Amino acid sequence: MGLPASNRMSSPDPRRSSPVITETRYGTSMKFVINSDYARGREVQNRILDEVTRYKYNSDSVFAIKLALEEAFVNAIKHGNKLDPTKHVYVEALVGPSQTEIIIEDEGPGFERSSVPDPTAPENLEKCSGRGILLIESYMTSAAWSHNGRRLHMIKRND
Amino acid sequence: MSEQAPPVSVTEEKDIRIVEFTNNKILDEANIADIGATLNALIDERDQPRLVLDFSTVDHLSSAALGMLINANNRIKQRNGQLRLTNIKPQIFEVFRITKLDRLFRIYPTRAEALASMEH
């Protein structure tokens, strides 16, 4: 089985959010808790993407995961937690050779997926926002919201 | 942060401004806001502004970047100007296609074609 978690910590940077990273039979398991901060979010995204790259995912899969992560973090930090620094974002990722599974949960009020307007409708095409969910659903193999919309569970298969 | 490179480089051909992105990722809120402010200033400088956005350096963008581009497009339309997009890589073009923004923007394969499409 994999290395102990302490040996897998590649960076001593104290700003990192004490991730728990373990090797499992299914791939690399990662758990992060961060506050509502874009820079922290970026660090977590990069850590997950490092692992995706390590497993040699194809270019389209890497592009898809990168885009979905970006949209999901903005949704959680900005639209969910409303940039409130006292609120947290909980992230779990399992990156394996055949698929990547990511759960992102915020502490905001949640939302109803069915109430989000279709951004591709002609009357919405010139609106400046509202495309993040469409992109997540289009690029990931599956994406589902639970806990009143506070938790996103998404999977990308590397095929 | 004041020493950061400008988010775009601008050249001019006749009275058409050609804008290239400095960073290969248009993702960070601050970077997107910077680009948006620069585009707004370019648009507001002239009546009937004519801009070509060259995406040849761009490998990643987010929905926030799309919002910034739509804002620029709306602003240009208000001033009876013209906007063209060009040199969009296939993975990035797919983002425009999924969001159906390939129907909103006038997108051309090459810079020459984008320039030639501009009406006087």
Side-chain angles (χ1 to χ4, degrees):
Chain A
M1 293 299 285
L3 296 165
S6 58
N7 289 352
R8 300 257 321 124
M9 301 274 288
S10 55
S11 170
D13 185 348
R15 291 172 304 151
R16 280 189 188 269
S17 49
S18 305
V20 179
I21 298 173
T22 49
E23 292 291 338
T24 74
R25 59 191 295 191
Y26 303 107
T28 309
S29 164
M30 293 177 271
K31 290 185 183 181
F32 309 85
V33 181
I34 61 167
N35 50 15
S36 303
D37 179 280
Y38 286 130
R40 281 290 190 80
R42 177 76 55 210
E43 287 174 13
V44 173
Q45 290 180 59
N46 287 340
R47 186 65 192 82
I48 295 170
L49 288 166
D50 283 350
E51 212 57 33
V52 169
T53 305
R54 193 169 71 87
Y55 277 103
K56 297 185 166 54
Y57 277 40
N58 67 58
S59 163
D60 284 342
S61 293
V62 176
F63 183 90
I65 293 167
K66 189 179 177 77
L67 182 56
L69 276 174
E70 176 69 24
E71 301 298 339
F73 271 84
V74 170
N75 280 352
I77 293 172
K78 186 177 182 180
H79 302 300
N81 288 350
K82 316 280 186 214
L83 299 169
D84 179 345
T86 67
K87 288 187 170 159
H88 299 90
V89 179
Y90 303 86
V91 183
E92 287 185 46
L94 179 59
V95 183
S98 59
Q99 70 172 34
T100 287
E101 187 172 358
I102 301 163
I103 295 170
I104 298 178
E105 182 169 352
D106 62 56
E107 295 182 320
F111 76 105
E112 187 70 46
R113 172 66 191 92
S114 60
S115 69
V116 178
D118 175 8
T120 66
E123 67 273 19
N124 295 330
L125 214 50
E126 290 186 70
K127 290 188 179 161
C128 292
S129 60
R131 292 178 180 79
I133 288 169
L134 167 69
L135 290 174
I136 291 169
E137 289 176 342
S138 302
Y139 276 92
M140 297 304 270
T141 309
S142 72
W145 281 264
S146 63
H147 297 65
N148 293 319
R150 289 191 304 276
R151 182 187 288 185
L152 165 62
H153 182 181
M154 53 187 186
I155 294 172
K156 181 67 182 179
R157 273 199 276 279
N158 179 33
D159 47 26
Chain B
M1 301 295 273
S2 58
E3 296 300 312
Q4 277 189 336
V8 297
S9 66
V10 184
T11 52
E12 190 153 345
E13 198 157 313
K14 295 172 184 167
D15 66 338
I16 301 168
R17 251 79 65 83
I18 300 161
V19 178
E20 282 181 277
F21 301 93
T22 312
N23 201 319
N24 74 328
K25 301 182 184 78
I26 314 180
L27 293 175
D28 285 315
E29 290 254 327
N31 182 38
I32 291 169
D34 256 12
I35 295 171
T38 307
L39 292 183
N40 285 349
L42 283 173
I43 293 163
D44 292 348
E45 261 174 29
R46 293 185 190 170
D47 293 329
Q48 301 183 320
R50 299 197 292 173
L51 260 71
V52 172
L53 302 186
D54 188 322
F55 281 76
S56 52
T57 57
V58 178
D59 294 319
H60 294 282
L61 53 67
S62 63
S63 66
L66 297 175
M68 175 270 292
L69 294 172
I70 291 166
N71 184 59
N73 189 50
N74 291 342
R75 203 174 181 104
I76 286 173
K77 278 204 319 200
Q78 279 169 10
R79 298 178 69 86
N80 296 315
Q82 299 172 60
L83 176 67
R84 305 287 187 264
L85 276 47
T86 187
N87 281 328
I88 300 179
K89 292 178 184 175
Q91 280 180 335
I92 299 291
F93 185 78
E94 184 68 5
V95 178
F96 282 87
R97 199 192 59 72
I98 286 169
T99 53
K100 297 194 179 168
L101 292 175
D102 57 329
R103 301 176 186 183
L104 181 73
F105 292 108
R106 292 185 62 172
I107 300 174
Y108 292 86
T110 65
R111 186 187 285 196
E113 286 167 274
L115 287 168
S117 76
M118 286 281 187
E119 294 141 29
H120 290 286

